[in-house]
Amino acid sequence: MFSTMSSVASSLAPIPTPTVTASAYILPGAVSMNDWAFGDEPIVIYKNERLRWVNADGLAHRIVADSPNATDFRSTEELRPFGGEQSFDITKVGTTGIHCAIHPNMTGTLIVRER
Ligand SMILES: [Cu+2]
């Protein structure tokens, strides 16, 4: 036998809303967008490394290089909120400013160095 009262009470309990936090998407080795910024600035990676963008914010970002020929990175797709990501293999040494196409005030610098 089960307790009728407690099973009714649990069936009426509100379903908890999953708590999504940005910190879950701030990952080592990735450029995590958080609070409309790129974390450590400038972003420095080395030739032949993978450039991984992860969106930890609650709204979409799309990152674009100011100088599209400076490195192999030109732009991401629109990265969905809380976990949208895209990676690029980078082989060309160079430096470019970057910005979000959706939020033009969100700017940074990407530096690809010779190892
Ligand atoms: Cu943005």
Side-chain angles (χ1 to χ4, degrees):
M1 292 289 282
F2 57 85
S3 159
T4 305
M5 285 303 290
S6 67
S7 70
V8 167
S10 64
S11 72
L12 295 177
I15 298 165
T17 304
T19 305
V20 180
T21 60
S23 60
Y25 303 105
I26 298 174
L27 306 173
V31 180
S32 292
M33 285 146 258
N34 187 35
D35 291 337
W36 297 270
F38 295 104
D40 289 340
E41 265 280 299
I43 299 157
V44 178
I45 66 163
Y46 290 88
K47 183 180 172 178
N48 299 325
E49 278 187 342
R50 187 150 252 236
L51 174 61
R52 182 183 182 198
W53 303 95
V54 181
N55 186 6
D57 273 330
L59 38 73
H61 294 302
R62 187 169 79 83
I63 309 311
V64 178
D66 299 343
S67 304
N69 297 318
T71 74
D72 297 326
F73 173 71
R74 298 200 168 177
S75 71
T76 67
E77 298 167 354
E78 188 168 310
L79 303 177
R80 66 174 168 76
F82 295 130
E85 67 170 275
Q86 193 173 5
S87 295
F88 299 82
D89 290 319
I90 301 294
T91 61
K92 186 174 177 182
V93 171
T95 298
T96 180
I98 55 171
H99 67 276
C100 177
I102 304 167
H103 310 103
N105 291 336
M106 182 177 169
T107 63
T109 303
L110 171 66
I111 300 172
V112 182
R113 289 192 177 145
E114 197 78 49
R115 189 174 286 281

